[in-house]
């Protein structure tokens, strides 16, 4: 599967990212069994249609992951495109016999492509945006008297000399001391290496965990809806008014509505909750 020839939804430069998101949201999320069947078709038979379906069903995941790198000032469309390349590489190397979902395997390849793109396009000169920062950037190396980190006194002296704060001097010193990270793995798009080991720091939750949580929440919501349908109308209405509305009804309000005591409403509520738990667990 060549990563540069697969027919994917268009994300040309300048195209509205929202329009792209609307397009890819139409592709269904695969169940574990559907994903395994498609992965086996591609793994054993080199069925490109199966590979394409695997890629299309995970484009939303790539877009979600790309949003966590917006802070680098690069075009969102470019980050998504690079992530899509990583997804296709992951599909190409995915072994359905390992026993993990594709998203857990692909997240490393997607991140790798996005990180490599960021490192190619985000340079240290971009940290100097104001006049004071540019002055500090170009004078700090000359102002340092040794290779070691500046002492507090040296930091204050440089700050006074350049007309900036001591905090800004320390921050710029850290940026100047930083260097690009090396990437292990492939040398070209078609190399069969391993995913890069080093990644840019990200304070966001692992997208694989997010997808797993969303799947679990969707499953719970579906079970809850099915369980509610199995209740009698009165019990269902009591639970909906007591738990599922913003302006929750009180026991006394429901007692007046049904012409029974508040204690009876409480009993009906507890019995309905027990039935829900039993139905959801089943």
């Amino acid at each position: 599967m060549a990563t540069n020839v697969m027919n994917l939804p268009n994300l040309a430069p300048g195209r509205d990212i929202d329009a792209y998101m609307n397009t890819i949201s139409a592709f269904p999320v695969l169940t574990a069994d559907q994903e395994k069947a498609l992965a086996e078709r591609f793994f054993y038979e080199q069925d490109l249609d199966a590979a394409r379906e695997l890629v299309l069903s995970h484009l939303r995941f790539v877009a979600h992951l790309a949003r966590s790198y917006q802070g680098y000032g690069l075009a969102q469309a470019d980050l998504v495109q690079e992530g899509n390349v990583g997804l296709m590489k992951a599909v190409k190397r995915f072994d359905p016999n390992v026993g993990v979902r594709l998203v857990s395997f692909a997240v490393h390849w997607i991140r790798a492509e996005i990180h490599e793109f960021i490192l190619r396009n985000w340079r240290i000169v971009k940290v100097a945006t104001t006049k004071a920062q540019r002055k500090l950037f170009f004078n700090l190396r000359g102002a340092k008297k040794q290779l070691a980190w500046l002492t507090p006194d040296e930091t204050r002296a440089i700050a006074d000399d350049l007309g900036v704060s001591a905090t800004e001097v320390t921050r710029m010193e850290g940026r100047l001391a930083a260097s690009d990270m090396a990437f292990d793995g492939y040398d070209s798009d078609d190399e069969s290496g391993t995913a890069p080991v080093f990644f840019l720091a990200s304070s966001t939750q692992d997208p694989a965990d997010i997808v797993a949580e969303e799947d679990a929440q969707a499953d719970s919501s579906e079970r809850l809806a099915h369980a509610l349908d199995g209740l009698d109308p009165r019990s269902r209405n009591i639970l909906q008014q007591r738990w599922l509305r913003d302006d929750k009804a009180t026991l006394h309000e429901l007692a007046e509505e049904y012409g029974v005591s508040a204690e009876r409403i409480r009993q009906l509520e507890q019995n309905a909750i027990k039935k829900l738990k039993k139905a959801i667990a089943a």
Side-chain angles (χ1 to χ4, degrees):
M1 178 180 62
T3 57
N4 59 343
V5 299
M6 176 171 283
N7 183 24
L8 296 180
N10 181 36
L11 188 55
R15 189 189 177 194
D16 185 2
I17 187 69
D18 292 332
Y20 173 80
M21 293 299 298
N22 290 334
T23 300
I24 65 176
S25 64
F27 299 117
V29 177
L30 301 175
T31 65
D33 291 338
Q34 291 172 330
E35 178 182 290
K36 183 174 176 61
L38 290 170
E40 288 177 342
R41 278 170 51 191
F42 178 62
F43 188 77
Y44 294 112
E45 305 169 21
Q46 294 300 298
D47 186 338
L48 294 182
D49 289 334
R52 184 174 185 273
E53 191 168 347
L54 285 171
V55 170
L56 292 177
S57 65
H58 287 81
L59 291 179
R60 277 177 289 185
F61 172 71
V62 175
H64 177 87
L65 180 56
R67 283 199 297 270
S68 65
Y69 296 96
Q70 290 177 326
Y72 291 96
L74 299 174
Q76 185 70 12
D78 292 337
L79 295 173
V80 171
Q81 288 282 51
E82 294 298 322
N84 287 344
V85 173
L87 172 61
M88 287 185 280
K89 289 182 178 181
V91 169
K92 180 179 180 181
R93 295 164 173 82
F94 182 59
D95 184 348
N97 299 307
V98 174
V100 299
R101 293 297 296 269
L102 174 59
V103 68
S104 297
F105 175 78
V107 63
H108 305 292
W109 290 93
I110 297 168
R111 280 178 172 168
E113 292 299 323
I114 293 176
H115 293 170
E116 187 176 24
F117 175 76
I118 291 173
L119 290 180
R120 287 198 309 265
N121 293 276
W122 191 74
R123 291 294 178 260
I124 196 168
V125 293
K126 291 187 178 182
V127 304
T129 55
T130 67
K131 182 177 181 180
Q133 286 177 329
R134 288 194 294 271
K135 182 179 179 182
L136 175 60
F137 178 84
F138 290 110
N139 287 277
L140 183 55
R141 284 192 182 277
K144 290 184 65 173
K145 298 179 175 61
Q146 54 188 6
L147 293 178
W149 288 92
L150 295 173
T151 66
D153 291 339
E154 291 173 336
T155 299
R156 285 191 294 270
I158 292 175
D160 292 340
D161 185 47
L162 298 179
V164 297
S165 68
T167 300
E168 194 65 28
V169 173
T170 301
R171 185 181 296 116
M172 185 63 72
E173 183 183 25
R175 289 169 175 168
L176 290 172
S179 60
D180 288 349
M181 294 180 180
F183 279 83
D184 295 334
Y186 48 85
D187 296 323
S188 68
D189 286 350
D190 296 322
E191 292 284 338
S192 57
T194 57
V197 174
F198 299 106
F199 299 110
L200 297 174
S202 175
S203 59
T204 59
Q205 185 180 4
D206 191 326
D209 294 335
I210 295 175
V211 171
E213 290 177 5
E214 291 176 348
D215 287 345
Q217 291 173 358
D219 180 65
S220 297
S221 298
E222 183 177 351
R223 288 173 180 265
L224 176 60
H226 181 72
L228 283 171
D229 289 339
L231 296 175
D232 62 89
R234 183 173 63 173
S235 297
R236 181 167 59 251
N237 183 53
I238 289 174
L239 286 184
Q240 288 174 338
Q241 293 201 57
R242 289 279 292 156
W243 296 96
L244 302 180
R245 283 174 32 177
D246 292 334
D247 52 337
K248 297 179 175 57
T250 66
L251 293 175
H252 292 285
E253 289 173 341
L254 291 172
E256 183 177 350
E257 177 181 342
Y258 286 105
V260 297
S261 66
E263 176 60 21
R264 179 55 180 159
I265 295 295
R266 188 192 66 78
Q267 292 173 355
L268 291 171
E269 178 186 26
Q270 293 302 313
N271 289 335
I273 291 175
K274 290 179 181 178
K275 290 179 181 178
L276 278 185
K277 289 181 178 179
K278 184 177 180 180
I280 291 175

